[in-house]
């Protein structure tokens, strides 16, 4: 598992990321099956990885996504305003439970559409389990990448070697 290949893949798939500008943290074995995802959290930091609490992800929650360097460098400001009417109610039917606990289907399409216009997209990070299945947290982690599938696939292959995967 080459660290050099991993950092090259990060630099190619994540606009604005430079391996020269990061401090590589140690993997904390005490974190068990989550050790690699927490390691990547530390490596990328809030500039390149966004942890989303769906319960707190209302129109102002998009600020964390707007703080990602690829979004800032693209010169756009993501907005979810089109999802709400003037009273602040969702314009589409969505149950309270879905809104609070599985809001990705509500927020992500409008965000992905805005990102697509500037050649970016959000990818959710999951943990690759021993049986080959993906484990996704209730509250996801997103990385903003290029839309270049070859570059994303190279990074995904490197992530898989570390027990992580794009979903």
């Amino acid at each position: 598992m080459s660290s050099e290949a991993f950092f090259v893949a990060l630099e190619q798939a994540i606009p604005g990321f430079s391996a020269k500008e990061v401090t590589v943290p140690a993997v904390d074995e005490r974190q068990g099956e989550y050790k690699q995802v927490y390691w990547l959290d530390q490596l990328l930091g809030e500039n390149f990885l966004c942890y989303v609490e769906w319960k707190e992800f209302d129109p102002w929650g998009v600020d964390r996504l707007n703080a990602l360097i690829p979004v800032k460098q693209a010169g756009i400001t993501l907005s979810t305003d089109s999802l709400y009417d003037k009273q602040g109610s969702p314009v589409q039917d969505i149950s309270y439970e879905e809104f609070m606990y599985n809001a990705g289907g509500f927020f992500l399409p409008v965000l992905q559409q805005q990102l697509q216009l500037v050649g970016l997209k959000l990818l959710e990070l999951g943990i690759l389990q021993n049986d080959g299945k993906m484990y996704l947290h209730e509250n996801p982690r997103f990385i903003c990448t290029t839309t270049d599938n070859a570059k994303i696939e190279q990074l995904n292959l490197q992530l898989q070697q570390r027990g992580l995967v794009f979903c």
Side-chain angles (χ1 to χ4, degrees):
M1 174 169 27
S2 164
S3 291
E4 184 177 326
F6 178 64
F7 288 120
V8 167
L10 284 169
E11 288 176 338
Q12 290 180 352
I14 303 173
F17 180 83
S18 172
K20 296 174 190 144
E21 297 174 12
V22 298
T23 302
V24 180
V27 175
D28 186 347
E29 296 295 331
R30 297 173 297 172
Q31 294 171 328
E33 64 185 279
Y34 300 104
K35 65 186 175 190
Q36 291 294 338
V37 77
Y38 291 136
W39 175 81
L40 191 62
D41 284 352
Q42 289 181 323
L43 178 74
L44 295 179
E46 293 178 353
N47 288 327
F48 296 101
L49 187 141
C50 180
Y51 175 79
V52 175
E53 282 271 350
W54 289 128
K55 296 173 193 171
E56 298 171 0
F57 195 80
D58 287 325
W60 56 87
V62 78
D63 290 345
R64 286 183 290 208
L65 291 172
N66 280 319
L68 295 173
I69 287 184
V71 175
K72 289 195 292 190
Q73 285 182 339
I76 63 170
T77 300
L78 299 172
S79 172
T80 58
D81 291 348
S82 66
L83 296 173
Y84 300 93
D85 63 20
K86 290 180 183 183
Q87 289 76 37
S89 297
V91 294
Q92 69 185 53
D93 288 335
I94 185 169
S95 71
Y96 176 78
E97 287 76 24
E98 185 180 5
F99 184 78
M100 293 299 287
Y101 300 104
N102 189 20
F106 179 70
F107 291 108
L108 286 178
V110 73
L111 296 171
Q112 296 286 33
Q113 186 177 39
Q114 293 168 54
L115 288 166
Q116 182 71 32
L117 295 173
V118 293
L120 299 172
K121 67 179 168 182
L122 290 174
L123 293 175
E124 186 173 355
L125 188 68
I127 297 172
L128 192 59
Q129 298 177 323
N130 291 334
D131 62 4
K133 294 182 181 176
M134 291 179 265
Y135 170 75
L136 299 174
H137 279 271
E138 173 186 338
N139 297 309
R141 285 170 169 78
F142 289 107
I143 297 174
C144 187
T145 69
T146 178
T147 55
D148 185 320
N149 288 330
K151 292 176 181 178
I152 292 168
E153 185 55 33
Q154 279 302 111
L155 178 54
N156 201 30
L157 290 171
Q158 292 296 317
L159 288 169
Q160 288 174 15
Q161 292 177 18
R162 288 160 174 78
L164 303 171
V165 66
F166 283 133
C167 308

